[in-house]
Amino acid sequence: MLKVLYERDEPIGRGELAEKLRGGIHQDPEQSLTGVLGAFGRRINETDDIPGSPGTDAFIKRQQIDRETHYLLRPEAREAIGNVPALVRRFDEPWDKLLEPDSRIEAKNLVPNSD
């Protein structure tokens, strides 16, 4: 999800986002997207350094366009992702490799640039 949002400068509709993420692997991509967003929000809320419970709103802006929910990566999130070279390099990999079980990035490799 972060890869799709990071690579776009404009909002993406819920249906398009769901199809890009889950279309080939889930019967109901939009329902599956709800689960992806929920899991991401819970992970954000369980992060010690993030105060309160902002959920996905800490990273993603939601807005209604033509009566459909659209998503856009917040500028602060875009900057934070851009400062983690291991993550940005991972975004260049093909989708099928990103979805492999062993494709996790160890936390010690997610250290931001110190520039």
Side-chain angles (χ1 to χ4, degrees):
M1 178 176 59
L2 291 176
K3 172 184 170 56
V4 171
L5 295 173
Y6 184 77
E7 292 175 346
R8 288 184 65 116
D9 293 327
E10 69 277 345
I12 183 171
R14 180 177 177 79
E16 183 181 354
L17 180 59
E19 192 61 34
K20 281 186 176 288
L21 295 180
R22 312 299 285 171
I25 58 174
H26 200 277
Q27 281 184 313
D28 186 347
E30 288 203 38
Q31 180 185 4
S32 181
L33 177 61
T34 298
V36 170
L37 289 166
F40 184 55
R42 281 188 297 282
R43 285 186 177 178
I44 292 168
N45 289 343
E46 292 172 2
T47 301
D48 291 335
D49 295 340
I50 297 178
S53 297
T56 58
D57 290 342
F59 279 75
I60 301 167
K61 179 181 176 185
R62 278 184 286 201
Q63 61 191 102
Q64 293 293 314
I65 301 174
D66 296 331
R67 299 194 305 180
E68 181 185 19
T69 301
H70 283 68
Y71 302 91
L72 181 66
L73 196 61
R74 293 188 179 280
E76 308 91 323
R78 182 177 303 282
E79 182 179 347
I81 290 168
N83 285 330
V84 182
L87 187 55
V88 175
R89 280 192 305 275
R90 185 60 57 96
F91 286 171
D92 290 333
E93 294 179 10
W95 275 108
D96 58 338
K97 183 150 175 57
L98 290 174
L99 298 174
E100 291 175 359
D102 64 341
S103 65
R104 298 182 94 141
I105 302 173
E106 294 296 323
K108 65 183 178 185
N109 295 324
L110 291 175
V111 178
N113 283 336
S114 58
D115 302 342

